């Protein structure tokens, strides 16, 4: 598996990654809502504008079992392999590591022989994950300095409880190496994980334990402020908890973490999905403050008033549609932040050149609980809303899908989400426009979730050099 | 092998170790880029060279002690076995990096990191064949310094070995330091990081090959 020179898709710096050739393929996690009958799948989408299959699924890899709930996934190796203190640059970006969020089964998918028709190379069973790392419900994963880092929402006891945390998988043998934490401090709820390699700092966020989320968003837990609202800072190398920042009880669901890609910059962004007082969503900036980390809210996105007749039961009493910012993505030049408003059906683009003062520069509406905004190339209203968003390495193309998480989909879109994937063009000046040639409707029964781009994207690689 | 050739070979090995990005020049470049100044590159070099030298020194000390107690006719086959064994192991198993040192480390951290990297790669082992050829002459030289009539005792042999070992470590370190300084500064100043993508050949394979090659070379050397 070792190569003679580094994988050509590894880049020392984000600047060099931005000069990379554009992606031709995208991989999409596809959740099958007819779970008893058919397994979930990994879809391969043609994203080459010069190809006759542009904007269409060209192949589908079915998982070997039913009921996985494919969600997030990522590569076995990436640009962080060029980092100086733990260099292993002759591994290949070859395998997609695709966890089942509900089944805790992890699929190792080989894309090398034929990138358009990947094959399953290995499956890690949930029992092995529980035995080796005492975790379940693998969620986010990143290729990093010691192998593949995966966050997990639940413990390995099979009771749906916590603590969740982070475990490591070897990036060549795919053995589960064990729990990452040596000292977890007060961390209990788990969700996202990423890091600042230049600061030797890992960051984790909080959603909930499996029993808090798997049957849907629990209004009692939500109003009782029981979902995650804290961000944890860790010593990446000593694997010890260092600091907790609590956003305050009204901010619920502290989810995605998007650190600056430039390793000399010590800041990043996080989204809190809902504010209990007014249903707004917010974006928070973390930054260095002396030897400590500090956080402050830099974007507030208000709820939009709505006729209760147009709202699902969970929202009728509020007479408003919340933005529900469930994903964000930061371009490789650290200049543009993309914000998915899954509730209102809006994709926003902010200029974050000054991270303390983001400026809204672009917006596109598609779907939404009330808006149902249409796509120029699709017939009829759309439901669901901008959710998992991925930005190309060069920052010119933005892809997203519209499904969040099956049981939560049904609460906010009770008629059942008809899933789609779209592409936007991002202009250098800050605007956003819909690519009319690209509207992908998933087959009935499938819902698209996270997208990964061939050769890496804005949320898959980490860099050690500016 | 003549004396001059031995020292040249030693310097060559120092250069070989130094040119491998994973032995430290890349770390120095990264720290320079992190701080945005050449001074940070320069400052990182001494601890990296020191850590490397300490790793080599450990091997040299172990070897000189071993050669005092095991019969000379076993020394060479044992060394050959260790060299080829480690090279083969690395070829099959590859390298794992579990080094708890990050980008914000200081002098001690860099030295420790360099020591661990050199040790894991078996840097000191490559020097053994040279050391093997240098010990006996050094011991004789120590004896001659004691004046006429002196006898070769364990103490004199150990002194000679220590002097030879120290000279080997210092020369190797100096060569390695010069090379990491040149490569690190050239990459930092002019070449740029693009070299990593094209020019970073698989030193892990080269290294494993060098260990095996050294073992075979020693075997063939009379």
């Amino acid at each position: 598996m070792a190569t003679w020179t580094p994988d050509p898709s590894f880049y020392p710096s984000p600047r060099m990654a931005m000069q990379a050739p554009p992606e031709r393929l995208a991989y999409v996690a596809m959740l099958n809502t007819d779970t008893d009958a058919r397994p979930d799948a990994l879809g391969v989408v043609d994203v080459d504008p010069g190809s006759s299959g542009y904007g269409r699924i060209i192949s589908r890899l079915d998982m070997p079992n039913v009921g996985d709930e494919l969600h997030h996934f990522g590569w076995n190796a990436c640009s962080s392999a060029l980092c100086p203190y733990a260099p292993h640059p002759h591994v290949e970006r070859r395998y997609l590591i695709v966890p089942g969020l509900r089944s805790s089964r992890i699929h190792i998918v080989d894309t090398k022989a034929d990138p358009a028709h990947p094959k399953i190379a290995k499956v890690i069973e949930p029992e092995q994950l529980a035995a080796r790392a005492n975790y379940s419900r693998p969620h986010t994963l990143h290729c990093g300095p010691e192998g593949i880092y995966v966050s997990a929402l639940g413990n390995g006891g099979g009771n749906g409880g916590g603590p969740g945390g982070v475990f490591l998988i070897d990036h060549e043998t795919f053995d589960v190496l064990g729990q990452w934490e040596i000292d977890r401090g007060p961390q209990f709820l788990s969700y996202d994980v990423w890091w600042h390699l230049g600061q030797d700092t890992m960051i984790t966020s909080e959603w909930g334990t499996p029993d808090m989320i798997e049957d849907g968003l629990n209004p009692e837990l939500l109003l009782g402020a029981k979902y995650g609202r804290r961000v944890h800072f860790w010593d990446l190398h000593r694997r010890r908890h260092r600091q907790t920042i609590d956003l305050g009880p009204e901010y619920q669901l502290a989810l995605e973490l998007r650190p600056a890609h430039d390793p000399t910059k010590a800041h990043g962004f996080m989204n809190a999905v809902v504010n209990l007082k007014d249903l707004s969503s917010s974006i928070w900036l973390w930054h260095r403050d002396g030897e400590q980390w500090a956080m402050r809210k830099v974007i507030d996105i208000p709820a939009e008033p709505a006729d209760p007749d147009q709202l699902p039961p969970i929202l009728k009493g509020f007479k408003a549609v919340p933005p529900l910012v469930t994903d964000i993505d930061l371009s490789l030049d650290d200049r543009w932040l993309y914000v998915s408003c899954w509730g209102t059906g809006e994709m926003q683009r902010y200029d974050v050149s000054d991270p303390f003062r983001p400026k809204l520069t672009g917006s596109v509406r598609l779907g939404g609980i009330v808006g149902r905004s249409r796509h120029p190339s699709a017939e009829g209203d759309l439901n669901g809303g901008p959710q998992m968003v991925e930005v190309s390495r060069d920052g010119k193309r933005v892809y997203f899908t519209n499904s969040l998480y099956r049981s939560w989909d049904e609460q906010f879109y009770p008629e059942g989400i008809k899933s789609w994937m779209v592409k936007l063009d991002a202009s250098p000046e800050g605007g956003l426009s819909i690519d009319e040639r690209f509207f992908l409707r998933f087959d009935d029964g499938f819902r698209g979730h996270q997208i990964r781009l061939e050769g890496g994207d804005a949320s898959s690689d980490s860099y050690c050099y500016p | 092998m003549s004396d001059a050739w031995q020292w040249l070979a030693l310097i060559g090995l120092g250069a070989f170790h130094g040119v491998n990005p994973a032995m430290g020049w890349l770390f120095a470049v990264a720290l320079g880029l992190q701080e945005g100044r050449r001074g940070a590159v320069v400052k990182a070099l001494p601890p990296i060279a020191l850590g490397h030298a300490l790793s080599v020194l450990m091997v040299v000390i172990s070897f000189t002690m071993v050669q005092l107690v095991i019969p000379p006719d076993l020394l060479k086959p044992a060394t050959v076995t260790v060299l080829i064994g480690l090279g083969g192991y690395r070829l099959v198993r590859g390298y794992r990096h579990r080094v708890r040192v990050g980008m914000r480390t200081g002098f001690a951290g860099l030295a420790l990191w360099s020591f661990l990297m050199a040790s894991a790669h078996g840097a000191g082992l490559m020097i053994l064949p040279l050391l093997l050829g240098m010990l006996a002459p050094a011991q004789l030289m120590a004896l001659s310094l004691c004046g006429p009539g002196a006898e070769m005792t364990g103490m004199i042999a150990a002194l000679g070995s220590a002097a030879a070992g120290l000279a080997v470590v210092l020369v190797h370190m100096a060569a390695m330091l010069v090379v990491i300084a040149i490569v690190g500064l050239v990459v930092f100043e002019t070449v740029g990081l693009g070299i990593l993508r094209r020019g970073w050949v698989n030193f892990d394979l080269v290294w494993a090959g060098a260990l095996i090659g050294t073992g075979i070379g020693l075997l063939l050397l009379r």
Side-chain angles (χ1 to χ4, degrees), chain A residues 3-12 16 19 82 89-90, chain B residues 21 25 186-187 190-203:
Chain A
T3 57
W4 181 242
T5 51
D7 186 302
S9 75
F10 293 173
Y11 302 92
M16 287 184 201
Q19 293 155 5
L82 296 174
H90 304 100
Chain B
W25 66 258
V186 166
V187 170
T190 55
V191 172
L193 291 168
I195 186 80
L196 298 185
R197 305 192 57 229
R198 304 177 306 274
W200 192 343
V201 299
N202 194 334
F203 266 94

Side-chain angles (χ1 to χ4, degrees), chain A residues 72-295:
Chain A
H72 289 200
F73 64 112
W75 295 102
N76 68 311
C78 56
S79 302
S80 63
L82 296 174
C83 281
Y85 54 82
H88 32 66
H90 304 100
V91 294
E92 294 176 275
R93 185 201 300 268
R94 168 171 176 175
Y95 297 95
L96 282 165
I97 318 300
V98 188
L101 180 54
R102 197 169 285 264
S103 67
S104 303
R105 191 178 290 112
I106 302 171
H107 310 87
I108 315 296
V109 175
D110 188 354
T111 67
K112 188 180 184 185
D114 182 356
H117 299 88
K119 300 266 182 298
I120 287 184
K122 180 177 174 174
V123 175
I124 302 171
E125 293 298 334
E127 296 77 24
Q128 197 185 344
L129 173 58
R132 299 294 298 270
N134 194 25
Y135 282 133
S136 64
R137 276 67 164 203
H139 189 274
T140 299
L141 70 91
H142 285 293
C143 25
E146 289 188 46
I148 304 160
Y149 296 57
V150 192
S151 70
L153 305 185
N155 66 36
N159 57 4
V166 179
F167 64 93
L168 283 168
I169 302 178
D170 187 277
H171 58 205
E172 287 183 275
T173 63
F174 307 112
D175 294 330
V176 176
L177 297 176
Q179 176 183 309
W180 175 81
E181 298 89 354
I182 289 173
D183 170 12
R184 76 166 69 247
Q187 183 270 336
F188 187 80
L189 302 178
S190 175
Y191 180 73
D192 202 7
V193 55
W194 216 353
W195 45 60
H196 285 284
L197 294 179
Q199 304 286 324
D200 302 330
T201 299
M202 175 183 272
I203 303 170
T204 62
S205 61
E206 296 185 343
W207 185 11
T209 52
D211 53 10
M212 293 168 70
I213 60 162
E214 287 188 342
D215 298 331
L217 177 63
N218 182 327
E220 260 176 53
L221 293 177
L222 182 70
L223 297 174
K226 301 286 191 227
Y227 285 102
R229 60 171 196 251
R230 298 187 300 175
V231 180
H232 302 275
F233 297 83
W234 307 75
D235 185 320
L236 177 61
H237 304 291
R238 294 186 178 82
R239 304 185 180 184
R240 292 180 188 281
H241 186 277
R242 281 275 175 264
Q243 191 185 346
T244 299
I245 294 180
D246 192 324
L247 306 181
E250 67 266 36
Y251 294 100
Q252 287 284 283
L253 305 163
L255 297 187
E256 306 293 334
L257 301 167
R258 302 288 176 242
H261 300 281
D262 179 343
T264 65
K265 290 180 187 160
H267 73 257
F269 298 91
M270 191 222 64
N271 60 307
V273 176
V274 65
N275 181 320
L276 296 179
K277 282 186 182 152
D278 56 12
L279 296 190
S280 64
S281 290
S282 48
I283 311 289
W284 296 66
L285 173 78
W286 71 79
H287 59 96
R288 270 276 184 193
D289 182 17
E291 280 307 297
Q292 292 287 96
W293 293 89
M295 283 186 90

Side-chain angles (χ1 to χ4, degrees), chain B residues 173-198:
Chain B
M173 178 176 81
M176 190 252 185
L177 179 60
V178 167
V179 170
I180 58 174
I182 292 171
V183 179
L185 286 171
V186 166
V187 170
F188 181 80
E189 297 285 346
T190 55
V191 172
L193 291 168
I195 186 80
L196 298 185
R197 305 192 57 229
R198 304 177 306 274

Side-chain angles (χ1 to χ4, degrees), chain A residues 309-324:
Chain A
D309 290 345
Q310 293 180 288
L311 293 171
I314 194 170
L315 292 175
K316 280 192 194 300
F318 296 100
K319 296 181 183 163
V321 55
L324 299 176

